[in-house]
Amino acid sequence: MEILALYIDNHFLYENPVALNFGGSVIFDFLTENDKLRITKEENDQFIKGFFGSGISNISAIVGNNGVGKTSLIRVLNQEPKVKCLAIYGDDENLYIQNSLELSVNAEFEFEDIESEKCPFPLYYSNIIDYNLQEFNSPISESNLYKNNLVEYYYDTIIRQVFLLNNKGEVLSEKFPELPYFKEVSISINNPTKTQFLEPDFYSKATIGKSIQDQLKMLWDSYGNGSTMTIHQNEDFLKDFEIFILSLLVTDDTFARTNSNGFSVDFKDVLHQEDFRNKLEWFLRKRLDNIDAPLFEGLEKSYGISFENIDDLIEKIRNDKISQIAGGFDFNRIKNHAVLIILRYDAIFRLYDFVERNYKMFEYSSDKSIITYSVSDEKTEGLLKELFMLYQKVYESIQYIRFEYRIFNISPSRKLSTGELALLNFFSSIYKFTLRKEGRFQKKKNYLLLLDEPDHGFHASWKKKFISSLINLIPELFSELKQNPDVQIIFTTHDPLTLSDIPNNNISYLKRIDENEIRVFGIGTSDRPSKSFGANITDLLADSFFVDNGLIGDFAKEKIQETIKWLNNPERDLEKREYYRKVILIVDEPIVQRKLSEMYDEIFENDLELSVINQQIKLLVDLRDRKKSGQ
């Protein structure tokens, strides 16, 4: 399913109703008649099914210069509830209308009503961090990924980039081979303040909250951090890791609501263990006992709880045929929770074990709280990738804990350019979204990806390949989700470079006519650009939708006009002769320079340098004209 058209009856930016078609198989026309909205349709003769490849249902653009309302229209597409509109959706068989207008609909075709939850799920993205953009309900936009401060945002962003490059770097490098892989990184353990863990509103139940707070204080006391402001003292990487992970796991140490919760393992039993592995195994026992005591006792009796027999534990749980237990509780849900907990603890242990076993591959800071790793050959590069892979597994398994966590603070030595940051942040934000496989927003069959000037910060060469990169990488990223959904993309831009990859019927053009009027030029309207797909970039630039009054910069244009005015003035200031002679010499458009040179030579006949240049330009122009005429 995809959105085919949007109609807005009354929007504060536009004098007239707004109608947008997005280049689907059908084009719609809207007409208001006596409090009724008449909708007709016709086939889109430019539509080619499967044009953008597997996984991408369609790509459309909303084009216009600054201040014409591109972001406002994206806000409506993102299902902004304050704006009354009508949206038409379609799949291979049916048409659907979602209508919040006060007008009744008179459609000359069959359709079904549709609610928002059944529409393609909108995902808005902008690489601009702006307080106002936090109003957009989106899990992928940079403004919504910004949390407490710039430091937190920086480290969270680096982790996203690392995961993307580590897992999808080969696909990304096919289009952007110059993108870097982080070959030297410094890693420390995140060190939140204790108040972040002890917030009274953090826990849903007061009694549970008090129990968790007591356990956190016991934990920090056992590591000698009872009087510190932060949870660890930045003194030893592995010790800091232990404290952070155990603190995080304590926040998740709650009981399932059944009649069979166990109390056979106390938190003191966890803290009394000598090493971290034993602490983690005992904590796993405690959690499984909390979830369901008979399930825990069966696992302990059959295998014993150990990281050596994780597969056996999971297999036994999944082979259990019981689906409901006393009290009417869904035992399948409880079993799934137990498996999730086992996988979480196992992922943590594998990461810790890797770092502990490979400590020689790291360089430590003087206080041993920061580890630094440099890639020198394929073997060391493989070890760094394995480290990041293990960390990603922990990241994926722990993201369902309520506490917003980040274990590693990663600092690469390579500083990225603005364009590199924009590209990596965009794709990594989507990749981060797909990693939360069990989230309710990650189970949709169709997504509407709304990109607000995504090419902002790109060099022209990257803008030319951006659509191609979307077609290659977006399906690859969304294939991480089990249902392998289809994605429709609508992006805004005021740059014509990307439009040579978009069919003209997939583009809606917006233009400011005067101070009080902005007009939407949809499909079939006059004065709309007639070319886009495969069109020459110069032709696109020449269109007034992008650049008014010519294709050169205003400063250069002013200098040329100033030179012409000086040349045409009989009372010209002769002291500026040398100044304007140099201005003419630096003009790189041959026709303009030739005309200026001729004007100059008529006044100053003895200027040999310009005469020679003029002759050379004349020769070049003659050769060009002869080549065009086929001589």
Side-chain angles (χ1 to χ4, degrees):
M1 181 186 292
E2 64 183 86
I3 187 169
L4 301 174
L6 178 72
Y7 178 83
I8 307 172
D9 184 53
N10 185 15
H11 193 283
F12 71 94
L13 276 176
Y14 305 100
E15 183 177 342
N16 299 310
V18 174
L20 303 178
N21 281 277
F22 298 110
S25 59
V26 184
I27 296 172
F28 298 89
D29 186 59
F30 302 87
L31 180 65
T32 304
E33 298 175 333
N34 300 323
D35 294 331
K36 286 189 176 181
L37 181 63
R38 179 170 172 264
I39 311 175
T40 58
K41 72 178 180 71
E42 61 179 286
E43 297 299 311
N44 178 7
D45 57 8
Q46 289 190 11
F47 176 75
I48 304 173
K49 187 174 181 179
F51 185 64
F52 294 105
S54 176
I56 302 287
S57 60
N58 207 355
I59 302 180
S60 311
I62 300 174
V63 179
N65 47 17
N66 294 322
V68 295
K70 299 188 298 296
T71 299
S72 294
L73 292 178
I74 289 291
R75 187 186 295 272
V76 179
L77 289 166
N78 198 52
Q79 301 192 354
E80 165 62 54
K82 295 179 182 178
V83 178
K84 304 294 184 181
C85 66
L86 180 144
I88 303 178
Y89 298 87
D91 54 28
D92 291 336
E93 299 177 355
N94 300 305
L95 294 174
Y96 307 88
I97 290 182
Q98 181 188 16
N99 182 18
S100 61
L101 298 173
E102 296 178 356
L103 299 172
S104 60
V105 174
N106 177 19
E108 298 184 1
F109 52 86
E110 293 184 0
F111 69 90
E112 299 177 21
D113 293 325
I114 189 171
E115 300 297 328
S116 59
E117 58 268 15
K118 294 185 178 180
C119 298
F121 184 71
L123 290 170
Y124 168 83
Y125 181 82
S126 170
N127 62 18
I128 303 298
I129 297 178
D130 185 341
Y131 176 78
N132 292 320
L133 294 182
Q134 288 185 327
E135 298 174 4
F136 280 84
N137 182 24
S138 174
I140 68 170
S141 185
E142 293 297 321
S143 295
N144 296 92
L145 294 172
Y146 186 94
K147 296 170 187 171
N148 301 319
N149 53 59
L150 196 58
V151 173
E152 293 292 304
Y153 173 75
Y154 168 78
Y155 283 122
D156 286 344
T157 299
I158 292 296
I159 288 171
R160 285 191 282 134
Q161 294 171 358
V162 165
F163 290 164
L164 175 73
L165 290 170
N166 203 45
N167 290 277
K168 306 295 180 182
E170 290 185 7
V171 181
L172 194 59
S173 65
E174 290 178 6
K175 290 295 177 184
F176 306 97
E178 59 272 46
L179 275 178
Y181 175 77
F182 298 133
K183 294 189 178 236
E184 182 175 344
V185 295
S186 297
I187 307 172
S188 61
I189 303 298
N190 194 12
N191 196 11
T193 62
K194 290 177 179 177
T195 55
Q196 289 178 260
F197 282 89
L198 297 173
E199 288 177 353
D201 296 334
F202 181 79
Y203 310 103
S204 58
K205 299 288 183 181
T207 54
I208 294 176
K210 186 176 187 310
S211 171
I212 288 176
Q213 291 173 7
D214 290 342
Q215 288 182 193
L216 285 171
K217 292 173 182 176
M218 289 170 58
L219 167 66
W220 297 329
D221 285 341
S222 72
Y223 277 91
N225 296 333
S227 60
T228 59
M229 296 284 292
T230 54
I231 65 171
H232 63 75
Q233 300 181 41
N234 287 316
E235 58 184 8
D236 179 86
F237 186 87
L238 286 176
K239 183 179 179 182
D240 298 344
F241 182 94
E242 293 181 22
I243 299 170
F244 185 92
I245 286 294
L246 292 174
S247 300
L248 195 64
L249 294 177
V250 165
T251 66
D252 188 52
D253 187 18
T254 57
F255 288 82
R257 297 174 184 174
T258 73
N259 296 334
S260 304
N261 298 133
F263 297 92
S264 61
V265 182
D266 191 80
F267 188 60
K268 292 179 181 178
D269 297 326
V270 175
L271 296 180
H272 288 164
Q273 304 306 310
E274 292 185 1
D275 57 43
F276 181 66
R277 172 179 177 144
N278 288 335
K279 283 184 172 70
L280 209 55
E281 285 183 346
W282 274 87
F283 212 150
L284 179 56
R285 287 187 177 92
K286 184 178 189 306
R287 289 294 291 115
L288 293 173
D289 192 30
N290 288 356
I291 292 171
D292 186 71
L295 181 146
F296 162 68
E297 291 165 2
L299 294 175
E300 189 79 296
K301 182 178 179 181
S302 299
Y303 302 106
I305 308 298
S306 169
F307 294 119
E308 300 301 324
N309 54 25
I310 292 297
D311 293 337
D312 294 330
L313 297 176
I314 293 175
E315 184 179 8
K316 181 172 177 59
I317 293 172
R318 287 177 172 164
N319 288 339
D320 193 323
K321 302 300 183 183
I322 299 175
S323 60
Q324 199 171 40
I325 59 176
F329 296 102
D330 182 355
F331 196 53
N332 285 326
R333 188 173 181 179
I334 293 171
K335 288 187 291 186
N336 289 336
H337 187 194
V339 169
L340 179 65
I341 293 295
I342 291 171
L343 291 173
R344 177 180 299 159
Y345 279 65
D346 183 59
I348 291 169
F349 170 70
R350 302 297 169 196
L351 176 60
Y352 180 88
D353 182 61
F354 177 86
V355 176
E356 187 180 42
R357 284 187 293 105
N358 294 280
Y359 72 96
K360 290 183 179 179
M361 77 181 205
F362 299 106
E363 296 178 9
Y364 288 87
S365 63
S366 57
D367 58 6
K368 293 189 176 183
S369 66
I370 300 175
I371 59 175
T372 302
Y373 188 69
S374 299
V375 171
S376 57
D377 53 32
E378 290 185 5
K379 181 179 179 181
T380 54
E381 182 175 349
L383 287 170
L384 187 60
K385 285 188 175 182
E386 185 176 356
L387 172 66
F388 289 150
M389 181 190 71
L390 291 168
Y391 179 43
Q392 182 171 325
K393 287 185 180 297
V394 174
Y395 181 92
E396 292 179 37
S397 68
I398 290 186
Q399 59 184 323
Y400 305 105
I401 292 179
R402 294 181 186 179
F403 183 74
E404 288 290 335
Y405 89 105
R406 181 186 64 253
I407 302 173
F408 287 169
N409 289 339
I410 301 174
S411 299
S413 59
R414 169 75 153 81
K415 304 302 180 185
L416 300 179
S417 69
T418 300
E420 289 172 334
L421 280 172
L423 186 73
L424 288 178
N425 285 352
F426 166 60
F427 285 116
S428 66
S429 68
I430 297 173
Y431 186 53
K432 178 181 182 291
F433 172 79
T434 64
L435 293 181
R436 194 179 175 92
K437 297 178 177 61
E438 300 302 322
R440 62 189 180 96
F441 297 139
Q442 284 75 7
K443 295 182 178 180
K444 306 292 183 178
K445 293 182 179 179
N446 303 95
Y447 289 93
L448 177 59
L449 194 56
L450 302 168
L451 310 180
D452 201 353
E453 297 187 13
D455 50 3
H456 179 77
F458 288 4
H459 184 271
S461 63
W462 280 17
K463 291 181 179 182
K464 286 176 61 179
K465 63 177 74 174
F466 183 61
I467 298 299
S468 181
S469 70
L470 290 178
I471 293 168
N472 286 341
L473 201 58
I474 292 299
E476 174 74 19
L477 296 178
F478 277 91
S479 68
E480 294 288 326
L481 301 177
K482 296 176 183 178
Q483 73 275 24
N484 202 18
D486 281 332
V487 180
Q488 180 183 3
I489 301 172
I490 299 176
F491 69 94
T492 69
T493 186
H494 48 65
D495 192 308
L497 281 169
T498 53
L499 293 187
S500 64
D501 282 330
I502 305 297
N504 198 253
N505 275 3
N506 290 43
I507 303 174
S508 300
Y509 296 91
L510 282 66
K511 187 176 183 180
R512 182 173 293 280
I513 304 302
D514 55 40
E515 184 178 347
N516 299 315
E517 182 182 0
I518 300 170
R519 192 176 301 170
V520 179
F521 293 80
I523 299 172
T525 56
S526 59
D527 300 327
R528 157 193 170 92
S530 59
K531 299 177 181 179
S532 64
F533 187 76
N536 186 283
I537 298 298
T538 304
D539 293 338
L540 290 169
L541 277 167
D543 196 282
S544 62
F545 274 87
F546 304 104
V547 183
D548 291 325
N549 302 319
L551 295 179
I552 63 173
D554 282 357
F555 178 71
K557 180 180 176 181
E558 290 167 4
K559 284 298 177 185
I560 291 171
Q561 290 174 338
E562 178 187 314
T563 302
I564 293 171
K565 184 177 180 181
W566 180 81
L567 289 169
N568 286 330
N569 185 3
E571 300 179 358
R572 69 187 66 83
D573 184 354
L574 293 179
E575 291 185 2
K576 293 190 175 181
R577 172 182 174 179
E578 181 64 13
Y579 173 83
Y580 286 112
R581 184 184 74 84
K582 288 186 175 182
V583 171
I584 295 170
L585 286 173
I586 65 172
V587 175
D588 287 328
E589 208 294 317
I591 303 298
V592 174
Q593 191 189 63
R594 177 186 175 185
K595 293 298 182 183
L596 292 174
S597 300
E598 288 176 350
M599 293 172 69
Y600 187 94
D601 279 353
E602 287 179 7
I603 300 169
F604 306 106
E605 295 179 357
N606 61 342
D607 195 317
L608 298 179
E609 183 181 2
L610 277 179
S611 296
V612 171
I613 293 173
N614 190 38
Q615 290 173 8
Q616 292 174 338
I617 293 173
K618 186 176 184 303
L619 178 62
L620 289 172
V621 172
D622 289 340
L623 287 172
R624 184 189 66 182
D625 293 341
R626 288 171 64 184
K627 185 177 180 181
K628 284 184 176 180
S629 63
Q631 296 179 359

